Amino acid sequence: MTEPAEPPIRVFLSYAQADDVVLEFIEPFTKSLRHLVFADQGRTLEIFVDRETIGWGEDWREGIRQGIESAAIFMPIVTRQYFERPSCREELLAFYNEAVHLRATGLILPVVLLGHSHLSTESTDVASRIIAERQYKDLKETWTDGPQSATWRRTMIALATQLVEAVTAAEQSLSSAPPLPASAEHDDDAPGAAEVSEALELFQQEVEQAMPEMKNTIDRFAAILTDSSPAVAAAAAPEARRILLEMAAELLPFSIDFQNQARKFETTILKTDQIMRAYIAFLKENSLHDQLEEERKSIGSVEEFTAPLATAEEILNDFLVQMRPLEAMSAPLRNSIRGFRDGVKGLNSALRMMQGWGNIAD
């Protein structure tokens, strides 16, 4: 009787579906990867490519945790558009935080097709930093040459090897991870309590700082739209261009500052989310119910901050929609607004993480 084959390696693809409509990459990529992992490494792959059937279920965060514990690969297919999609950012940041907690970040195996210039370990965009810090596979030339090329075959064989090696290393790491203590003192000195308290305090400081800055941004948008939009509509072309240039010059410093503040806020929320989830997992696994109840109260108290932030985000989105006709008329104005749009995406990502805190201790 032959020995049973090893269970298949699970691979979750995360990608902007709008990309694949044009790039037509996913089908040949998954077909080649399945075949070459088996032909070269003797392992079968179970690849999930549809977000609706990705296998994480309704409690997708718990599904991510279970996926990491079983050494499943998370493979973002990266283009510049990937960072623009809230669902893609949320999947990446959530998987990253769980992988950090379980010391299995090697399970994040990015494939970069386009948008390389956006990737930097020094970027203020936390999603960009995460991809840049991983040993990502550059498939730009591979995709350009196409599935029938020697470049494609060489690159895919190397990726197949890298994938199996990552899973093997993660399996060993997860197996050798030291167990959590069976018990701990029920007081504020328990492992992680101080870190959670410090993280929540920093979070509150960031929100208190962000709210007036966002109000200032909203007020500035409102004033410019009220004053300038009718003037542009009524003016002759030369005068309209002058007004739009003045708008662009006035908005640019606010735009840059808002982008930086929003990215900083997103990074803070990611770190807070990481600390809280790790500590709550520790309390649950050690049945520390009293401390768990205390943390539930602490986490619940931050919900009061989400509503005003969500309102500010909605107002900013409305303003950006109203700015579109003016942006279409002026390249300098488009350039000035770009930072606002990027900042709103960072704010959206942070809010999605924060809105998941309500169930973190359940």
Side-chain angles (χ1 to χ4, degrees):
M1 180 181 294
T2 59
E3 291 293 325
E6 294 185 74
I9 296 172
R10 302 175 78 196
V11 180
F12 299 132
L13 290 194
S14 175
Y15 65 100
Q17 292 182 345
D19 275 335
D20 202 49
V21 172
V22 176
L23 302 181
E24 298 182 339
F25 173 79
I26 297 299
E27 183 178 355
F29 174 75
T30 54
K31 182 178 179 180
S32 292
L33 195 59
R34 282 193 186 97
H35 179 80
L36 292 172
V37 166
F38 184 76
D40 191 52
Q41 299 292 318
R43 297 290 299 267
T44 57
L45 294 187
E46 186 177 13
I47 303 178
F48 297 88
V49 298
D50 186 342
R51 192 168 278 108
E52 297 301 319
T53 59
I54 201 167
W56 292 345
E58 291 184 6
D59 188 357
W60 65 276
R61 284 185 178 273
E62 179 59 27
I64 284 176
R65 182 181 178 84
Q66 292 174 1
I68 295 172
E69 289 175 344
S70 65
I73 290 288
F74 180 79
M75 186 175 287
I77 308 299
V78 177
T79 67
R80 184 64 180 87
Q81 191 164 202
Y82 183 87
F83 300 101
E84 307 292 324
R85 294 292 183 266
S87 56
C88 293
R89 291 183 73 93
E90 188 173 16
E91 289 169 357
L92 172 64
L93 300 184
F95 197 99
Y96 174 76
N97 266 358
E98 288 295 343
V100 168
H101 169 52
L102 295 173
R103 287 166 289 182
T105 55
L107 291 172
I108 302 174
L109 198 61
V111 166
V112 179
L113 288 183
L114 298 167
H116 297 69
S117 62
H118 187 67
L119 303 178
S120 171
T121 56
E122 305 298 323
S123 174
T124 56
D125 182 348
V126 64
S128 168
R129 291 201 305 273
I130 289 172
I131 298 297
E133 289 167 358
R134 307 273 74 75
Q135 289 184 316
Y136 67 79
K137 201 71 176 174
D138 184 348
L139 263 65
K140 181 178 181 178
E141 183 179 353
T142 302
W143 168 71
T144 303
D145 288 354
Q148 304 306 317
S149 67
T151 305
W152 180 283
R153 290 190 290 274
R154 283 195 300 268
T155 305
M156 295 301 294
I157 289 172
L159 181 60
T161 301
Q162 186 178 353
L163 188 154
V164 174
E165 287 176 349
V167 169
T168 301
E171 289 170 343
Q172 295 172 350
S173 175
L174 291 165
S175 299
S176 62
L180 292 170
S183 64
E185 294 297 324
H186 290 241
D187 58 32
D188 289 339
D189 292 328
E195 288 83 355
V196 173
S197 177
E198 182 179 341
L200 290 176
E201 183 178 347
L202 178 59
F203 156 77
Q204 185 171 344
Q205 291 173 358
E206 290 281 351
V207 172
E208 290 173 350
Q209 178 182 348
M211 286 308 300
E213 291 172 349
M214 276 189 279
K215 183 179 184 304
N216 187 33
T217 299
I218 289 170
D219 290 344
R220 177 61 58 185
F221 258 125
I224 289 175
L225 283 171
T226 300
D227 296 342
S228 301
S229 295
V232 170
E239 178 63 11
R241 285 195 294 271
R242 184 190 65 78
I243 295 171
L244 290 170
L245 280 171
E246 289 179 353
M247 288 176 64
E250 187 176 7
L251 283 171
L252 183 58
F254 286 95
S255 179
I256 294 171
D257 186 60
F258 180 72
Q259 179 187 52
N260 290 336
Q261 290 297 330
R263 286 180 169 182
K264 178 184 176 185
F265 184 66
E266 183 185 23
T267 300
T268 298
I269 299 305
L270 179 68
K271 186 64 176 177
T272 304
D273 185 89
Q274 185 182 117
I275 292 170
M276 288 198 305
R277 290 185 184 279
Y279 184 50
I280 293 299
F282 167 79
L283 296 180
K284 287 181 177 179
E285 289 167 5
N286 288 280
S287 301
L288 301 177
H289 302 297
D290 292 343
Q291 287 174 262
L292 187 60
E293 182 59 30
E294 288 299 315
E295 293 306 323
R296 185 178 288 114
K297 293 176 182 177
S298 297
I299 294 169
S301 68
V302 307
E303 293 182 3
E304 64 184 276
F305 296 105
T306 59
L309 285 169
T311 300
E313 179 202 25
E314 184 177 352
I315 294 171
L316 286 166
N317 272 320
D318 287 343
F319 282 139
L320 289 171
V321 170
Q322 295 176 56
M323 292 294 288
R324 288 187 189 278
L326 299 178
E327 290 179 83
M329 300 168 62
S330 171
L333 186 60
R334 286 198 299 276
N335 182 60
S336 292
I337 295 296
R338 190 169 290 118
F340 284 119
R341 294 195 182 282
D342 185 77
V344 170
K345 292 184 181 73
L347 179 60
N348 174 273
S349 174
L351 276 168
R352 288 168 77 104
M353 281 187 279
M354 291 165 59
Q355 288 162 353
W357 292 351
N359 302 322
I360 195 173
D362 291 346

mmCIF file of all heavy atoms in Angstrom, residues 60 62 66 102 122 143 154 179 187 189 200 223 267-268 310 320:
data_model
loop_
_atom_site.group_PDB
_atom_site.id
_atom_site.type_symbol
_atom_site.label_atom_id
_atom_site.label_comp_id
_atom_site.label_asym_id
_atom_site.label_seq_id
_atom_site.Cartn_x
_atom_site.Cartn_y
_atom_site.Cartn_z
ATOM 1 N N TRP A 60 -14.128 35.849 8.888
ATOM 2 C CA TRP A 60 -12.959 35.709 8.029
ATOM 3 C C TRP A 60 -11.659 35.943 8.776
ATOM 4 O O TRP A 60 -10.629 35.385 8.424
ATOM 5 C CB TRP A 60 -13.080 36.624 6.818
ATOM 6 C CG TRP A 60 -13.076 38.093 7.110
ATOM 7 C CD1 TRP A 60 -14.132 38.857 7.474
ATOM 8 C CD2 TRP A 60 -11.954 38.970 7.057
ATOM 9 N NE1 TRP A 60 -13.746 40.156 7.660
ATOM 10 C CE2 TRP A 60 -12.417 40.253 7.407
ATOM 11 C CE3 TRP A 60 -10.606 38.807 6.737
ATOM 12 C CZ2 TRP A 60 -11.582 41.360 7.456
ATOM 13 C CZ3 TRP A 60 -9.780 39.908 6.782
ATOM 14 C CH2 TRP A 60 -10.257 41.165 7.137
ATOM 15 N N GLU A 62 -11.037 34.933 11.864
ATOM 16 C CA GLU A 62 -10.729 33.650 12.486
ATOM 17 C C GLU A 62 -10.274 32.662 11.413
ATOM 18 O O GLU A 62 -9.387 31.837 11.654
ATOM 19 C CB GLU A 62 -11.942 33.110 13.236
ATOM 20 C CG GLU A 62 -11.718 31.760 13.902
ATOM 21 C CD GLU A 62 -10.578 31.768 14.925
ATOM 22 O OE1 GLU A 62 -10.282 32.838 15.500
ATOM 23 O OE2 GLU A 62 -9.990 30.687 15.146
ATOM 24 N N GLN A 66 -6.818 30.500 11.413
ATOM 25 C CA GLN A 66 -6.755 29.058 11.193
ATOM 26 C C GLN A 66 -5.899 28.723 9.983
ATOM 27 O O GLN A 66 -5.184 27.719 9.968
ATOM 28 C CB GLN A 66 -8.169 28.514 11.033
ATOM 29 C CG GLN A 66 -8.999 28.584 12.306
ATOM 30 C CD GLN A 66 -10.445 28.182 12.093
ATOM 31 O OE1 GLN A 66 -10.849 27.829 10.979
ATOM 32 N NE2 GLN A 66 -11.230 28.234 13.152
ATOM 33 N N LEU A 102 1.772 34.970 15.306
ATOM 34 C CA LEU A 102 2.127 33.551 15.288
ATOM 35 C C LEU A 102 3.528 33.299 14.750
ATOM 36 O O LEU A 102 3.918 32.160 14.543
ATOM 37 C CB LEU A 102 1.104 32.787 14.443
ATOM 38 C CG LEU A 102 -0.323 32.780 15.006
ATOM 39 C CD1 LEU A 102 -1.288 32.161 14.014
ATOM 40 C CD2 LEU A 102 -0.381 32.040 16.334
ATOM 41 N N GLU A 122 10.762 52.485 3.231
ATOM 42 C CA GLU A 122 10.699 53.803 3.867
ATOM 43 C C GLU A 122 9.371 54.505 3.603
ATOM 44 O O GLU A 122 9.178 55.642 4.042
ATOM 45 C CB GLU A 122 11.846 54.691 3.349
ATOM 46 C CG GLU A 122 13.231 54.087 3.516
ATOM 47 C CD GLU A 122 13.576 53.846 4.979
ATOM 48 O OE1 GLU A 122 13.180 54.689 5.820
ATOM 49 O OE2 GLU A 122 14.206 52.819 5.289
ATOM 50 N N TRP A 143 5.292 38.269 -16.817
ATOM 51 C CA TRP A 143 3.964 38.522 -17.386
ATOM 52 C C TRP A 143 4.084 39.121 -18.786
ATOM 53 O O TRP A 143 3.326 38.766 -19.698
ATOM 54 C CB TRP A 143 3.185 39.458 -16.456
ATOM 55 C CG TRP A 143 1.945 40.007 -17.079
ATOM 56 C CD1 TRP A 143 0.793 39.312 -17.352
ATOM 57 C CD2 TRP A 143 1.736 41.343 -17.536
ATOM 58 N NE1 TRP A 143 -0.124 40.148 -17.948
ATOM 59 C CE2 TRP A 143 0.422 41.405 -18.068
ATOM 60 C CE3 TRP A 143 2.514 42.495 -17.539
ATOM 61 C CZ2 TRP A 143 -0.117 42.570 -18.604
ATOM 62 C CZ3 TRP A 143 1.983 43.666 -18.060
ATOM 63 C CH2 TRP A 143 0.688 43.693 -18.586
ATOM 64 N N ARG A 154 10.995 29.614 -16.113
ATOM 65 C CA ARG A 154 12.062 29.748 -15.105
ATOM 66 C C ARG A 154 11.527 30.401 -13.835
ATOM 67 O O ARG A 154 11.808 29.944 -12.718
ATOM 68 C CB ARG A 154 13.217 30.571 -15.672
ATOM 69 C CG ARG A 154 14.126 29.838 -16.634
ATOM 70 C CD ARG A 154 15.426 30.608 -16.845
ATOM 71 N NE ARG A 154 15.155 31.940 -17.401
ATOM 72 C CZ ARG A 154 15.125 32.211 -18.723
ATOM 73 N NH1 ARG A 154 15.329 31.216 -19.594
ATOM 74 N NH2 ARG A 154 14.901 33.422 -19.154
ATOM 75 N N PRO A 179 5.002 27.051 24.007
ATOM 76 C CA PRO A 179 3.599 27.175 24.409
ATOM 77 C C PRO A 179 3.396 28.363 25.330
ATOM 78 O O PRO A 179 4.311 28.784 26.034
ATOM 79 C CB PRO A 179 3.328 25.857 25.149
ATOM 80 C CG PRO A 179 4.677 25.434 25.650
ATOM 81 C CD PRO A 179 5.667 25.884 24.613
ATOM 82 N N ASP A 187 -3.696 40.385 37.441
ATOM 83 C CA ASP A 187 -3.518 41.790 37.789
ATOM 84 C C ASP A 187 -2.954 42.523 36.588
ATOM 85 O O ASP A 187 -2.735 41.935 35.529
ATOM 86 C CB ASP A 187 -2.613 41.942 39.025
ATOM 87 C CG ASP A 187 -1.237 41.315 38.828
ATOM 88 O OD1 ASP A 187 -0.731 41.314 37.683
ATOM 89 O OD2 ASP A 187 -0.663 40.842 39.811
ATOM 90 N N ASP A 189 -0.137 43.463 35.962
ATOM 91 C CA ASP A 189 1.225 43.110 35.591
ATOM 92 C C ASP A 189 1.269 41.886 34.686
ATOM 93 O O ASP A 189 2.346 41.435 34.326
ATOM 94 C CB ASP A 189 2.068 42.847 36.845
ATOM 95 C CG ASP A 189 2.280 44.118 37.646
ATOM 96 O OD1 ASP A 189 2.347 45.200 37.037
ATOM 97 O OD2 ASP A 189 2.367 44.013 38.882
ATOM 98 N N LEU A 200 -3.640 51.700 23.540
ATOM 99 C CA LEU A 200 -4.925 52.398 23.541
ATOM 100 C C LEU A 200 -4.757 53.874 23.876
ATOM 101 O O LEU A 200 -5.466 54.725 23.337
ATOM 102 C CB LEU A 200 -5.884 51.739 24.531
ATOM 103 C CG LEU A 200 -6.400 50.351 24.129
ATOM 104 C CD1 LEU A 200 -7.266 49.766 25.228
ATOM 105 C CD2 LEU A 200 -7.171 50.410 22.823
ATOM 106 N N ALA A 223 -15.046 75.691 2.135
ATOM 107 C CA ALA A 223 -14.856 77.099 1.767
ATOM 108 C C ALA A 223 -14.445 77.229 0.304
ATOM 109 O O ALA A 223 -14.950 78.096 -0.426
ATOM 110 C CB ALA A 223 -13.794 77.723 2.673
ATOM 111 N N THR A 267 -1.031 53.427 10.425
ATOM 112 C CA THR A 267 0.056 52.645 11.018
ATOM 113 C C THR A 267 -0.172 52.436 12.505
ATOM 114 O O THR A 267 0.044 51.335 13.039
ATOM 115 C CB THR A 267 1.408 53.351 10.783
ATOM 116 O OG1 THR A 267 1.639 53.471 9.374
ATOM 117 C CG2 THR A 267 2.549 52.560 11.399
ATOM 118 N N THR A 268 -0.607 53.493 13.209
ATOM 119 C CA THR A 268 -0.890 53.385 14.644
ATOM 120 C C THR A 268 -2.003 52.376 14.902
ATOM 121 O O THR A 268 -1.902 51.549 15.817
ATOM 122 C CB THR A 268 -1.296 54.759 15.215
ATOM 123 O OG1 THR A 268 -0.209 55.665 15.068
ATOM 124 C CG2 THR A 268 -1.670 54.651 16.689
ATOM 125 N N ALA A 310 -15.849 58.154 11.189
ATOM 126 C CA ALA A 310 -16.611 57.675 10.039
ATOM 127 C C ALA A 310 -17.376 58.824 9.380
ATOM 128 O O ALA A 310 -17.474 58.898 8.149
ATOM 129 C CB ALA A 310 -17.578 56.574 10.469
ATOM 130 N N LEU A 320 -14.639 65.018 -2.261
ATOM 131 C CA LEU A 320 -13.808 64.537 -3.360
ATOM 132 C C LEU A 320 -14.653 64.263 -4.610
ATOM 133 O O LEU A 320 -14.202 64.502 -5.728
ATOM 134 C CB LEU A 320 -13.045 63.281 -2.936
ATOM 135 C CG LEU A 320 -11.919 63.517 -1.919
ATOM 136 C CD1 LEU A 320 -11.372 62.194 -1.404
ATOM 137 C CD2 LEU A 320 -10.801 64.353 -2.529
#
